[in-house]
Amino acid sequence: MLSIILPVGISFYTFQSMSYTIDVYRGDMKAHRGFLVFLATLSFFPQLVAGPILRAKEILPQLVNMRVPTALNIRIGLLLVLLGLLKKTTADLMAGPVGVAFNGQADVSTFETWIGLLAFSAQLYGDFSGYSDIAIGIALMLGVYIPMNFNLPYFSTSPVDFWRRWHISLSSWLRDYLYISLGGSRNGKRARNQFITMLLAGLWHGASWTFVVWGAYMGVIVVVTQWLNDRPQLSKWVNSKNWLSLVIKIAVTHYLFVLSWPLFRGSSLEAAWTMIVDMHIPQATAVTAGAGIVMALVVTGLFLMHFVDALRIRYGNALANRQWFFWPLLVIGFTLFFTVGDFGHDFIYFQF
């Protein structure tokens, strides 16, 4: 019955349909009388199953006046699809160490726990941003523009900065339709409204106590970040641009999110707490050379995905215009994927 009551993509479909209703109510867009185009807006297939979350005012006008895809649209679209497939393949390689860390067995060492949590960082990013790239690329080949959904999130310098870079379509939706509707920063209620917004963001991911506590934790670190930014004696360091402070802030931010993964991925609050304890209390198990190699591969995969994304953001259009290099790159990339890629793994965000 659950497969009927909770169909795939229901949360994304719901947010998209709500955006239309709220925008019309607020007067930000006019109601559309073409029912077929309206249904096409809500069921636009490339991103329907796992995002990005589109707003009616972003997608509906494009479907009313469909543009003919250009050769550049197709080239950039194919590049995004290839990048998404390669990121998904890299993410699937992380499933092994993630499974070891989250298997609930008592003999998992502190080092293996850290490997698994960092691997989950890479798996979640590669899996979800890979899906987003594929969706954006397919839409672009149809002549439809979908905004970017990830912007190098693990190089964020604070939790607030992270949520500006991670799942941008969700965080901006929550900001515009929930946080602002609650009152935003007016009347000294900013902290309360931020906490409620992040708490409901956790509940959006799943109706379980682990997601409720995860959302509450996100709310706390976002509120604390804003509090630090408001302190004149601390804001100078918080906003410092020198390389050492940037490295420290990136490391601390990533640690805060790694600390949340046991709640996000774990089966229960008890299992999540056990993992958090294992992160910080060294176990007697010796660190083997094999575990060190796995750790190095996990960190390399995490950096590689961000490096490729940075190149695509910076040089994507220039690459797509250089056909002498672009087409051989596509042929080699797709050949590698269909040769060594594994099609047996679903996307993580299908469950949301």
Side-chain angles (χ1 to χ4, degrees):
M1 286 299 292
L2 286 177
S3 62
I4 300 172
I5 298 170
L6 298 175
V8 170
I10 185 64
S11 58
F12 295 90
Y13 165 84
T14 302
F15 270 33
Q16 289 177 194
S17 58
M18 285 176 66
S19 74
Y20 173 82
T21 306
I22 296 170
D23 283 343
V24 171
Y25 173 77
R26 289 177 173 176
D28 293 336
M29 68 176 295
K30 293 183 178 179
H32 186 74
R33 295 185 179 276
F35 192 56
L36 186 61
V37 176
F38 174 73
L39 289 180
T41 299
L42 295 186
S43 59
F44 187 59
F45 75 91
Q47 48 66 239
L48 181 65
V49 178
I53 299 170
L54 295 181
R55 306 184 190 194
K57 60 185 177 184
E58 293 173 337
I59 183 71
L60 198 152
Q62 296 188 68
L63 297 183
V64 171
N65 300 299
M66 284 289 292
R67 292 174 295 182
V68 177
T70 65
L72 184 60
N73 287 152
I74 294 172
R75 289 200 293 273
I76 296 179
L78 284 171
L79 177 64
L80 287 169
V81 171
L82 174 62
L83 177 59
L85 292 174
L86 293 177
K87 286 160 73 175
K88 170 61 176 169
T89 301
T90 305
D92 290 341
L93 295 175
M94 303 295 163
V98 171
V100 171
F102 284 91
N103 66 6
Q105 294 183 9
D107 59 347
V108 178
S109 69
T110 298
F111 192 62
E112 287 173 325
T113 301
W114 274 99
I115 292 175
L117 290 169
L118 289 174
F120 185 66
S121 290
Q123 183 187 35
L124 192 63
Y125 176 69
D127 192 284
F128 192 21
S129 68
Y131 181 93
S132 294
D133 288 341
I134 293 170
I136 294 169
I138 292 174
L140 195 59
M141 287 189 284
L142 297 173
V144 177
Y145 173 76
I146 296 178
M148 182 170 63
N149 204 31
F150 289 86
N151 183 17
L152 311 178
Y154 291 136
F155 285 98
S156 304
T157 56
S158 73
V160 172
D161 187 33
F162 181 90
W163 283 110
R164 294 192 185 111
R165 296 165 174 258
W166 176 277
H167 202 350
I168 299 170
S169 60
L170 173 64
S171 55
S172 62
W173 195 101
L174 292 171
R175 178 197 65 208
D176 295 341
Y177 295 113
L178 181 57
Y179 174 71
I180 292 177
S181 296
L182 288 169
S185 59
R186 297 191 300 271
N187 302 320
K189 301 293 186 181
R190 183 181 66 185
R192 183 204 69 175
N193 296 337
Q194 286 175 332
F195 181 81
I196 293 173
T197 299
M198 296 313 301
L199 182 66
L200 293 178
L203 194 58
W204 174 82
H205 284 87
S208 70
W209 283 112
T210 52
F211 286 120
V212 172
V213 176
W214 180 82
Y217 171 76
M218 287 295 143
V220 169
I221 62 175
V222 165
V223 168
V224 170
T225 301
Q226 290 287 16
W227 181 86
L228 292 174
N229 282 326
D230 292 341
R231 306 274 80 77
Q233 64 273 28
L234 296 173
S235 62
K236 183 178 180 180
W237 183 86
V238 169
N239 297 313
S240 174
K241 299 297 183 182
N242 75 72
W243 69 270
L244 181 59
S245 64
L246 286 176
V247 169
I248 293 173
K249 287 186 289 187
I250 290 171
V252 171
T253 301
H254 198 178
Y255 166 77
L256 291 173
F257 280 88
V258 168
L259 193 62
S260 77
W261 295 149
L263 289 166
F264 192 87
R265 171 68 165 73
S267 58
S268 66
L269 292 176
E270 294 78 11
W273 176 249
T274 299
M275 285 196 70
I276 292 171
V277 171
D278 289 343
M279 288 172 62
H280 300 94
I281 300 179
Q283 306 296 313
T285 308
V287 177
T288 64
I293 293 172
V294 173
M295 171 67 93
L297 291 175
V298 166
V299 174
T300 300
L302 191 56
F303 273 97
L304 181 62
M305 287 187 287
H306 278 71
F307 177 71
V308 171
D309 273 354
L311 290 179
R312 189 256 305 173
I313 293 169
R314 179 67 178 84
Y315 300 108
N317 287 333
L319 172 64
N321 283 315
R322 287 166 172 76
Q323 298 185 48
W324 60 271
F325 180 71
F326 179 79
W327 289 114
L329 176 67
L330 278 186
V331 171
I332 293 171
F334 277 109
T335 300
L336 283 173
F337 173 75
F338 286 113
T339 301
V340 303
D342 185 354
F343 298 90
H345 299 275
D346 285 339
F347 286 90
I348 294 174
Y349 265 68
F350 280 6
Q351 64 185 295
F352 303 132

